[in-house]
């Protein structure tokens, strides 16, 4: 494993804890603010798919070929879809998905939902850092760090709304960030150990992240009449990643 990527991988996931701790200082975000933050997160992730994952994957196309990269991209998305179909979880807005959870508490199901989001996100960060720990990968980690701060706050606030105590909500939100850190370190290790497979891993990570954006984040921002502000957030998040990628590349 390249040691250069370890610290960015940990710091990126640690943004979730930083955001969750904000629960001590601020009230629960309004629906309008939350949709704007989620929109910005979607923009960051879409830019990461484009610049930090697919672009370097296509640079290695001579080892894989466009068709195999396309298959890897679809496989990444299908892998996350299969997890969503097989594991019960509770979205902040959409409610229950997956098999019947029986007596499982909504707080647990919400944590599972965020973990389903964070695992492919963490893997993408790790693979990106394994490919380029100083350029595109570092920009990806930085963008996800910025996204994780408001997400950590939003998850903690949602857990409070479901009846969890403030301390438990912060701990559970931070736990989802720890899951992302572990996934990032796994992705980093795999990318470092299997250099020949790196273009395919990057394409698969891009597919997984795109699925999360389309299936999870964008629908969450379009349910309470704030589609415009969410779209503005998406555009600004994407633009911010363009600038970050240009600075670090």
């Amino acid at each position: 494993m390249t040691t250069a990527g370890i610290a960015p991988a940990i710091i990126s996931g640690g943004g979730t804890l930083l955001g969750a701790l904000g629960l001590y200082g601020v009230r629960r975000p309004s629906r309008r603010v939350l949709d704007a933050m989620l929109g910005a997160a979607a923009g960051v992730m879409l830019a990461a798919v484009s610049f930090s994952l697919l672009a370097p994957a296509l640079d290695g196309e001579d080892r894989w070929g466009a068709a195999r990269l396309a298959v890897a991209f679809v496989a990444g998305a299908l892998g996350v879809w299969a997890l969503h179909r097989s594991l019960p979880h509770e979205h902040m807005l959409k409610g229950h998905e997956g098999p019947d959870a029986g007596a499982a508490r909504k707080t647990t199901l919400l944590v599972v939902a965020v973990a389903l989001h964070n695992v492919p996100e963490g893997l993408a960060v790790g693979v990106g850092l394994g490919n380029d720990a100083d350029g595109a990968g570092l920009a990806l980690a930085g963008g996800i760090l910025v996204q994780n701060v408001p997400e950590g706050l939003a998850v903690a606030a949602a857990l409070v709304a479901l009846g969890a105590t403030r301390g438990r909500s912060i701990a559970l939100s931070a736990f989802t960030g720890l899951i992302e850190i572990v996934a990032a370190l796994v992705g980093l290790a795999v990318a470092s150990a299997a250099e020949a497979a790196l273009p395919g891993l990057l394409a698969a990570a891009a597919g997984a992240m795109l699925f999360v954006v389309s299936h999870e984040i964008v629908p969450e921002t379009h349910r309470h009449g704030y589609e415009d502000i969410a779209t503005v957030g998406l555009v600004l998040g994407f633009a911010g990643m363009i600038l970050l990628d240009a600075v670090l590349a």
Side-chain angles (χ1 to χ4, degrees):
M1 181 190 300
T2 174
T3 57
I6 294 177
I10 294 173
I11 293 171
S12 177
T16 303
L17 171 60
L18 181 61
L21 289 173
L23 197 63
Y24 282 119
V26 299
R27 292 183 176 181
R28 184 182 181 185
S30 69
R31 185 71 256 165
R32 181 184 181 90
V33 170
L34 189 57
D35 283 347
M37 292 192 301
L38 288 172
V44 166
M45 294 175 72
L46 286 175
V49 167
S50 303
F51 307 134
S52 301
L53 296 172
L54 282 181
L58 291 170
D59 286 342
E61 182 186 342
D62 55 330
R63 286 181 287 172
W64 272 70
R68 292 175 68 187
L69 287 178
V71 170
F73 179 85
V74 173
L78 289 177
V80 181
W81 176 77
L83 285 174
H84 276 262
R85 294 281 292 180
S86 60
L87 293 177
H89 53 285
E90 187 86 12
H91 293 276
M92 283 185 282
L93 297 179
K94 288 193 297 181
H96 184 81
E97 278 193 351
D100 184 13
R105 297 184 59 180
K106 284 192 173 185
T107 52
T108 302
L109 296 178
L110 179 58
V111 171
V112 172
V114 178
L116 287 173
H117 171 145
N118 284 357
V119 168
E121 191 174 291
L123 288 171
V125 169
V127 172
L129 288 168
N131 175 67
D132 184 4
D134 298 317
L138 187 59
L140 170 58
I144 297 301
L145 167 63
V146 172
Q147 176 225 305
N148 278 342
V149 174
E151 180 178 273
L153 175 59
V155 171
L159 289 168
V160 167
L162 289 175
T165 65
R166 185 165 58 177
R168 178 174 170 79
S169 298
I170 291 172
L172 289 173
S173 183
F175 176 70
T176 66
L178 178 61
I179 290 173
E180 183 170 322
I181 291 172
V182 172
L185 294 176
V186 170
L188 182 60
V190 172
S192 300
E195 186 176 350
L198 193 52
L201 292 173
L202 288 165
M209 189 173 285
L210 185 64
F211 178 92
V212 169
V213 173
S214 177
H215 189 263
E216 300 292 326
I217 300 180
V218 171
E220 294 277 7
T221 66
H222 284 65
R223 293 177 178 274
H224 286 82
Y226 298 119
E227 295 90 345
D228 289 347
I229 191 67
T231 302
V232 169
L234 185 148
V235 171
L236 292 178
F238 197 104
M241 275 296 287
I242 292 175
L243 296 175
L244 185 61
D245 189 71
V247 169
L248 295 176

